[in-house]
Amino acid sequence: MMTIEKATDKPIKVVTSENQSKYISENDAEMDARAKEAVRVAIAKAKFCKKPVAKYDITSHKAYIEYPDGSRRYAE
């Protein structure tokens, strides 16, 4: 497990997939998998309906909206 310090001085524990079973119950892991699938389906539905999708750019650390034509508008 890895601990990350936040600006509020409260640690955040990040559980990697290798040691997930040690810290997360089977029910919680199933709930996480269902939540991930629900998000994936919601994004696919939005793209199919030609609606913009909010995303996060890991390299620039900025949120943006991706439009159906592929253009992006970054948040200020």
Side-chain angles (χ1 to χ4, degrees):
M1 182 169 351
M2 175 175 50
T3 302
I4 300 173
E5 293 295 327
K6 234 181 138 179
T8 60
D9 295 328
K10 293 186 180 188
I12 298 173
K13 294 179 181 177
V14 178
V15 178
T16 60
S17 59
E18 296 88 39
N19 59 9
Q20 178 179 352
S21 61
K22 184 177 177 181
Y23 297 102
I24 297 177
S25 72
E26 190 175 313
N27 289 338
D28 288 342
E30 181 184 348
M31 200 169 11
D32 286 351
R34 288 175 183 240
K36 287 177 187 177
E37 182 64 14
V39 169
R40 188 192 67 75
V41 169
I43 291 171
K45 182 180 177 182
K47 287 182 178 182
F48 179 79
C49 294
K50 300 195 184 319
K51 293 184 178 180
V53 177
K55 294 186 176 185
Y56 183 76
D57 189 350
I58 296 172
T59 56
S60 67
H61 302 288
K62 291 184 178 182
Y64 64 92
I65 296 177
E66 186 175 77
Y67 292 95
D69 64 358
S71 64
R72 295 180 177 182
R73 190 182 76 179
Y74 283 86
E76 296 177 12

